[in-house]
Amino acid sequence: MQPRILIIGTGDTKADELEFMRMKIAEAGGLPLMLDVSVLGDPPYRPDFDKDAVAAAGGSTIPEIIAMGDENSAMTVMAAGASALTRRLHDEGRIDGVIALGGTMGTDLALDVALALPLGVPKFVVSTIAYSHLVPPERIATDLMMILWAGGLYGLNSTCRAVLSQACGAVVGAARAAERPDLRRPIVAISSLGKSCLTYMVPLKPELERRGYEVVIFHTTGMGGRALEAIAAQRGFAAVLDFSLQELANHLSGSVVTSGADRLENAGRAGVPQIVAPGAIDMVDFPTWQPVPRQFDGRPYHAHNRLLSSVTSDGEGRRAIARAIGAKLATAAGPTAFILPAGGIQQWDQEGEPLHEPAATAAFVDEMRGCVPGNVVFREIPGHINGSAFVAAALDIFDRWAAEGIIAPGVPS
């Protein structure tokens, strides 16, 4: 197999780097294709897809884009065009992977292109801001690979060559080895955390598999929820069992451990059937290597490791989270159910455990009862989210929806 790799960049300002990448991709056994996203100038080579084709795919022309007189507006249009053109090339079976090169401007465009492609298509961004907090989680594609463009922007040097050659080898290798998702069985997404905190996925996974579904579990420590949201937005799931909403609580509390402002919105917006529960919303995560946020002074604290720590929110904080959950559920266009486990929502909030705060738990339960909107099937159980009654309630709703044709039927293996 000779993977066809689309190389994206501004050829008028980064021709040396882009031509070096073309050479390295060919040396690695790939077939390089050049897509130029320049606006003001032209590359010294003839791209396979020029800037006029990109502008046209974005519904504009290069003279119109130049007339905007603003580089941000211009590159936003070029990003739309590059995204549309790249997706069309993928859908027509003409490319097997994508690599883009850029500073902040090129990265901004590249992130849109990566989001336009489905899971399983290798997508690599060489960027001066790789892994930076300038890149919000909602801009990151599910399977995006990034590398810091060290030593770049002003021509080739040994440091830059080392980075670019690694990136080119990586995208060719990924395109050659990639296995696309198997869609023969309907996919059910479950959000969760580790088994020390939430355990419902342990009995749920085999039960759903026995019914003929493939189960994909997303670890809700920021990027896990982002992946769930991104795939749900593309209607990649038959159903979503969104039982761990800690990232929503993190976002509301200003934590960087967030999956974006649209957490708990995309399945509902896309009409994907979803069953929701408030797992772990009482905990707020933040980096262990930073001080405890001032608003949580004196609250129960746990250092999970040298990267991640948690504190608990108080009763009023949990009431605010309940209202946010209700508001997001109200926007759902598809079938939605909410299960409220009144007996607790994570392992350490039970009696005898370090995060047992019955008054704060009761405040959340009380607020949540009044916040579930009328478009949502509401089920309250007296037990804990890690108990058998919770799993039984989730399966009862799931099976009823499957019998009614709301959820696609499973395919036995």
Side-chain angles (χ1 to χ4, degrees):
M1 175 187 176
Q2 186 180 30
R4 298 156 298 177
I5 307 299
L6 188 67
I7 306 171
I8 301 175
T10 50
D12 60 342
T13 59
K14 300 175 181 65
D16 290 347
E17 295 92 335
L18 292 167
E19 290 194 282
F20 176 77
M21 292 169 68
R22 174 162 59 181
M23 178 184 71
K24 298 307 293 185
I25 285 172
E27 288 178 359
L31 176 64
L33 301 169
M34 306 291 273
L35 188 151
D36 182 41
V37 291
S38 307
V39 173
L40 296 178
D42 294 295
Y45 54 83
R46 177 170 295 186
D48 299 276
F49 307 98
D50 63 20
K51 64 183 183 182
D52 293 298
V54 174
S60 187
T61 66
I62 290 297
E64 289 172 344
I65 292 172
I66 293 174
M68 293 177 176
D70 173 67
E71 60 181 359
N72 180 44
S73 300
M75 289 306 287
T76 299
V77 176
M78 292 298 282
S83 299
L85 180 54
T86 302
R87 181 58 192 248
R88 185 164 74 241
L89 293 172
H90 165 266
D91 292 347
E92 293 173 354
R94 297 167 66 185
I95 59 172
D96 302 298
V98 173
I99 186 168
L101 173 76
T104 56
M105 192 72 69
T107 301
D108 187 18
L109 179 147
L111 293 172
D112 280 359
V113 172
L115 282 171
L117 294 169
L119 176 73
V121 180
K123 43 192 80 75
F124 209 110
V125 175
V126 184
S127 169
T128 58
I129 56 169
Y131 308 112
S132 164
H133 285 315
L134 286 173
V135 182
E138 58 268 27
R139 299 290 308 281
I140 300 175
T142 304
D143 53 350
L144 179 68
M145 297 176 281
M146 298 185 78
I147 190 170
L148 181 66
W149 186 13
L153 286 180
Y154 295 100
L156 292 169
N157 54 65
S158 61
T159 299
C160 179
R161 287 171 184 268
V163 170
L164 296 181
S165 60
Q166 288 182 66
C168 291
V171 72
V172 171
R176 183 175 285 121
E179 291 188 16
R180 302 293 172 85
D182 185 350
L183 304 179
R184 288 175 294 180
R185 289 189 297 163
I187 298 174
V188 175
I190 303 179
S191 63
S192 189
L193 286 169
K195 287 190 288 186
S196 60
C197 179
L198 296 171
T199 61
Y200 48 74
M201 63 282 187
V202 176
L204 271 175
K205 185 174 184 289
E207 285 294 331
L208 292 168
E209 289 172 340
R210 187 173 61 82
R211 289 161 167 78
Y213 296 90
E214 182 177 11
V215 179
V216 181
I217 298 173
F218 294 86
H219 198 66
T220 55
T221 50
M223 297 316 300
R226 181 70 257 142
L228 185 154
E229 294 293 330
I231 299 172
Q234 296 181 350
R235 296 179 173 85
F237 303 125
V240 171
L241 277 53
D242 205 348
F243 295 160
S244 177
L245 302 183
Q246 188 185 19
E247 292 155 322
L248 190 157
N250 287 346
H251 189 82
L252 292 174
S253 302
S255 170
V256 298
V257 190
T258 172
S259 54
D262 61 347
R263 186 69 178 89
L264 191 58
E265 294 180 9
N266 288 285
R269 184 180 297 127
V272 177
Q274 59 177 343
I275 307 172
V276 180
I281 60 86
D282 56 335
M283 297 193 299
V284 177
D285 292 332
F286 62 93
T288 305
W289 42 271
Q290 290 184 346
V292 176
R294 185 171 300 175
Q295 69 266 33
F296 294 109
D297 282 347
R299 298 294 302 161
Y301 165 87
H302 172 70
H304 187 56
N305 50 46
R306 288 176 292 171
L307 298 176
L308 187 67
S309 296
S310 301
V311 294
T312 58
S313 52
D314 59 18
E316 284 307 307
R318 297 185 204 188
R319 286 185 181 274
I321 293 166
R323 293 191 291 271
I325 293 172
K328 287 174 179 285
L329 294 178
T331 67
T336 301
F338 184 81
I339 305 173
L340 177 61
I345 54 176
Q346 47 95 353
Q347 180 64 30
W348 305 302
D349 71 357
Q350 300 179 83
E351 188 173 357
E353 296 285 352
L355 303 183
H356 180 56
E357 297 180 278
T361 299
F364 171 76
V365 171
D366 175 68
E367 191 74 26
M368 197 71 245
R369 285 171 179 152
C371 289
V372 179
N375 62 310
V376 174
V377 175
F378 179 48
R379 179 84 61 89
E380 179 175 335
I381 62 168
H384 194 272
I385 197 168
N386 285 339
S388 59
F390 175 80
V391 172
L395 288 173
D396 178 66
I397 297 170
F398 187 96
D399 289 341
R400 179 158 44 84
W401 283 1
E404 295 171 358
I406 294 172
I407 297 175
V411 178
S413 56

